[in-house]
Amino acid sequence: MIVKHYEHKIYRASECCIFRKTKETYGGLSNMASGFPIRINGLTILSNEALYQACRFPHLPQIQQLIINEKSPMTAKMVSKPHRKNSRIDWEDVKIKIMRWCLRVKLAQNYFTFGALLESTFNRPIVEDSSRDDFWGAIRDKNDPNLLIGTNALGRLLMELRQFYFEKKFTTDMFVVEPLNIADFHFLGKPIERIDERNNFVSAICKSLLINNKGIISSESVNLITQVTLAESQLQVSEPELSFVAKSSPKREKKSKQKVTTTKRKAQSDKQTSISFD
């Protein structure tokens, strides 16, 4: 097995969105953050860390089960440690691809909360502030605590995901995640299925925009909008559609237009920091 070596980068903490502890401002970007459940093949996994660790052992479904049974992301990681010598043989070659896929799933299935967090970072560098892991994160320089040095693989993948978020916002690509085209991409003995969150997204949009004064959702309206937006299996929530739904509330319509304009500016800015990381 050939161990890859990745270039270290230097970041100025004062110019970055830093995450270390999960309760901090950007803590939700961490794989250790709770509150972002993931569903794979119909089963719920409580954290991105548990999903990533489980992907080490497609040939050992019993180990995968032990990992996802843990309620804490840290204990899920600890459960995997004694078995890492039995990780899939190509782990070093595919771990970046697997982490990228895990993050895509996290976004697709936690679009509003995780998407808002990514959006709040604007186009600033995202860095995991680590005490000893200079691959997934970066470590503070002993002589200058404002400098972080490391590969920052997780941060770079998050910046890549942020760019994807701005470019693909409200399109089918955002909510459909295909399984990786790698050998033995299995979960609990079965091939990992395609992730398709379009219906869930439409339902969430309808609930947020079509609640009447009594707080009761109009099921007829939900069904109508769902049928329209999912015509020909393509989710197209366009600016005119959003404005149309909000016409009954001038303030809401104005706010929606402002948000669209702001998002476009952020997307244009983010394109300047395009990242390709394999």
Side-chain angles (χ1 to χ4, degrees), residues 96-111:
I96 292 291
K97 293 180 181 179
I98 288 175
M99 183 64 82
R100 179 185 284 117
W101 175 83
C102 289
L103 292 171
R104 278 286 316 278
V105 175
K106 181 178 179 179
L107 176 60
Q109 296 186 339
N110 300 273
Y111 175 76

Side-chain angles (χ1 to χ4, degrees), residues 42-55:
L43 295 176
T44 298
I45 301 172
L46 296 180
S47 68
N48 212 44
E49 183 65 25
L51 174 60
Y52 172 75
Q53 295 298 338
C55 286

Side-chain angles (χ1 to χ4, degrees), residues 1 9 18 20 47 56 63 84 91 107 141 167 187 204 210 222 226 230 251 255 262:
M1 179 182 65
K9 293 180 175 293
I18 305 292
R20 187 182 182 96
S47 68
R56 285 177 173 270
I63 303 301
R84 289 188 182 178
W91 179 247
L107 176 60
D141 184 87
E167 291 178 351
F187 179 64
L210 301 176
V222 171
T226 301
L230 288 180
K251 291 183 180 179
K255 185 176 181 181
T262 302

